[in-house]
Amino acid sequence: MINRRSFLGSFAGAALLARSARRAVAEPAAPAHPTPGWPPAVFQDDETYWRELRRQFLIPADEAFFNTGTLGSMPRVVLQAIADDMNQVAGTIAHWDYKAGHPDYISGYNPETELRTALAALIGASADEVALTQNATLGMNYVANGLPTEPGHEVILTNLEHPGGRMGWELKSKRYGIYVKQVTVPVPPENPQQLIDLYVNASTPQTRVWSIPHLTSGQAVRFPVERMCAIARERGIFTVIDGAQCSGHFQLDMKRLGCDAYYSSPHKWLLAPAGSGFLYITSDKLPGVWATLASATWDDYKAGAYRLMQIGTGNRSMLKGYAAAIEFHNRIGPARVEARIMSLANRLRAGLQQIPQATIHSPTHPELVSGTTVWSLAGYSAGDLMDGLWNRAKVRCRSMGDPLGVRQCCHIYTLPEDVDRTLETVRQMVRR
Ligand SMILES: Cc1ncc(COP(=O)(O)O)c(C=O)c1O
């Protein structure tokens, strides 16, 4: 028989254990409330600004997070927007009377014009050309599935595609007999022309689509998309760009890029909640793309890209978070975000280049670089390098497997000392 005290004791012990286990996993630095007024409307170009900005994220101060290429960390304002809206939906749902003027409590059945307008402004498009999706994978599948093709038509893509940038075409190939032609990218490429030549040399009169990664996932190869789209356009080839890694990372202007379609996952670099995506299709090509999912307005061609977002019930609160992420990004300024990311990544690359045992596998040509660096360390497998950085210095990179090593994405929550800590840890690991 267990007496009351030992029962309570074991209960308290279990609770304590559970708490310390939770702490071992992760403990946010402070409550999730945003600091009022952050980011401020007026940008202050100094380290104090970036240091205060760092405090708008829940990542503990002693942890350096470099895996934005998988999923970004939402700032406090984004979390707050989601939580506030969820509370409102749950608490006032009985007031929803479906009458005109009362907001819907779900997403999926209205065009979300405000959010699409903000997104369109960010990427240099019009709201009618932008569909909300859950991620890049949906965007690419909507294009592959929706573009009319005939057996024998060719789609060109690379050997470096993420499955989310490739499999829609593979499915179409198996089902409808199109030919998916894969070009092999040298890693790292030496210059942009090499990448252009791959697509040009592989094209034939049967080529209908160039499917181009703007920035590849595993090797961080940045493609000269603007130049490639111009060439494709002259040849009447449809261009669809995998920009999963690019919104919130590079400044984007769809009209300047000149692509026919572009999809992305703003839950990575734009720091939106997981499940935030978009698909852009230029207005003159939009009517030529079939909807993949069908609900009320799938066949209403006056609805623009809204025709391609017929997903049924979705989570309205996540869209509030998505909108807050765009606003957060705009308050800092897309150009400043990109410049900050690039300066940190250049600091990292310059430091790694001073360490003879380190090899950078991502490009170093100035037109092909990004905020992501993929590098390895002699004597360490990719997995051991990832674990070594984390166990010694709480530096979170992601293993890309051998021989690539780790992928390290610098972002606005990276501080210069996080980069320097990485380099110091590498020097220690060389000494063992
Ligand atoms: C280049 C690229 N394309 C597509 C995807 C798929 O993104 P999602 O899982 O958000 O659909 C990723 C994800 O990492 C990616 O890096």
Side-chain angles (χ1 to χ4, degrees):
M1 259 209 30
I2 49 169
N3 63 30
R4 189 170 176 274
R5 178 181 270 191
S6 70
F7 173 76
L8 285 178
S10 65
F11 193 72
L16 243 167
L17 259 175
R19 258 207 311 278
S20 62
R22 271 200 303 274
R23 198 171 299 138
V25 174
E27 194 169 31
H33 304 298
T35 308
W38 265 90
V42 178
F43 176 73
Q44 195 186 320
D45 188 14
D46 62 21
E47 281 304 315
T48 317
Y49 176 91
W50 295 111
R51 226 158 273 282
E52 185 52 45
L53 192 78
R54 171 66 177 82
R55 289 157 50 82
Q56 307 311 313
F57 295 88
L58 273 71
I59 304 163
D62 63 340
E63 293 179 9
F65 177 64
F66 287 103
N67 191 20
T68 305
T70 299
L71 183 66
S73 173
M74 289 174 280
R76 293 171 196 271
V77 276
V78 171
L79 283 165
Q80 190 74 50
I82 298 167
D84 286 352
D85 196 67
M86 284 191 149
N87 272 313
Q88 211 220 332
V89 168
T92 65
I93 196 157
H95 295 248
W96 184 16
D97 56 10
Y98 284 85
K99 289 183 185 158
H102 198 288
D104 280 354
Y105 276 21
I106 52 175
S107 66
Y109 289 96
N110 69 61
E112 306 297 345
T113 307
E114 210 175 308
L115 175 54
R116 285 165 64 216
T117 301
L119 200 47
L122 184 68
I123 64 169
S126 80
D128 273 358
E129 296 172 310
V130 179
L132 301 176
T133 63
Q134 275 69 60
N135 50 42
T137 303
L138 283 189
M140 95 83 34
N141 275 275
Y142 288 173
V143 172
N145 196 59
L147 262 188
T149 50
E150 288 166 20
H153 281 172
E154 289 173 359
V155 175
I156 300 182
L157 43 67
T158 75
N159 63 323
L160 304 185
E161 308 299 333
H162 185 282
R166 163 193 292 279
M167 293 305 169
W169 293 119
E170 300 279 357
L171 166 73
K172 188 150 190 175
S173 168
K174 205 157 189 179
R175 190 165 177 195
Y176 297 111
I178 63 162
Y179 179 45
V180 178
K181 193 184 265 184
Q182 178 177 294
V183 296
T184 302
V185 179
V187 176
E190 280 163 22
N191 56 59
Q193 192 59 45
Q194 252 185 333
L195 299 171
I196 297 170
D197 289 346
L198 289 173
Y199 276 73
V200 169
N201 295 338
S203 295
T204 72
Q206 285 299 94
T207 304
R208 292 296 182 277
V209 180
W210 281 5
S211 192
I212 307 169
H214 199 171
L215 181 67
T216 69
S217 183
Q219 316 70 14
V221 176
R222 181 177 184 166
F223 275 67
V225 168
E226 192 177 334
R227 285 157 67 186
M228 294 177 75
C229 289
I231 297 168
R233 206 167 38 249
E234 277 169 16
R235 297 167 175 233
I237 294 171
F238 188 97
T239 45
V240 52
I241 314 302
D242 178 353
Q245 294 286 340
C246 303
S247 53
H249 183 172
F250 312 142
Q251 294 172 84
L252 293 178
D253 183 338
M254 294 298 120
K255 301 303 167 191
R256 221 185 74 198
L257 283 183
C259 55
D260 292 316
Y262 192 105
Y263 55 86
S264 186
S265 290
H267 45 234
K268 298 179 188 286
W269 295 79
L270 195 60
L271 313 179
S276 302
F278 71 81
L279 167 63
Y280 157 88
I281 302 182
T282 189
S283 53
D284 59 325
K285 298 288 168 61
L286 192 51
V289 180
W290 284 89
T292 289
L293 298 181
S295 185
T297 52
W298 76 275
D299 204 21
D300 176 2
Y301 281 70
K302 290 188 300 301
Y306 178 44
R307 197 169 51 81
L308 305 179
M309 340 175 345
Q310 301 298 302
I311 60 163
T313 300
N315 189 329
R316 178 185 102 166
S317 307
M318 289 301 157
L319 297 189
K320 301 285 181 197
Y322 193 168
I326 295 172
E327 194 187 333
F328 181 82
H329 183 76
N330 282 336
R331 274 176 162 258
I332 305 166
R336 293 189 196 109
V337 170
E338 181 175 344
R340 176 72 173 175
I341 288 172
M342 292 307 288
S343 93
L344 291 160
N346 287 336
R347 184 184 185 107
L348 174 67
R349 283 187 281 265
L352 288 171
Q353 280 164 338
Q354 298 302 311
I355 301 173
Q357 294 83 354
T359 304
I360 297 179
H361 299 278
S362 46
T364 48
H365 185 287
E367 283 180 56
L368 304 180
V369 290
S370 68
T372 301
T373 309
V374 182
W375 57 277
S376 61
L377 189 63
Y380 287 87
S381 69
D384 286 348
L385 178 54
M386 175 178 79
D387 291 344
L389 290 166
W390 177 252
N391 294 335
R392 288 169 186 245
K394 292 195 179 173
V395 167
R396 169 55 63 207
C397 296
R398 179 172 169 185
S399 164
M400 290 288 115
D402 296 313
L404 287 175
V406 294
R407 180 180 69 183
Q408 187 161 9
C409 307
C410 294
H411 205 347
I412 52 172
Y413 34 64
T414 308
L415 293 173
E417 56 260 38
D418 297 331
V419 171
D420 297 346
R421 188 159 98 235
T422 305
L423 296 169
E424 183 45 38
T425 310
V426 176
R427 286 188 283 267
Q428 283 170 17
M429 288 174 77
V430 167
R431 295 195 293 271
R432 297 225 177 225

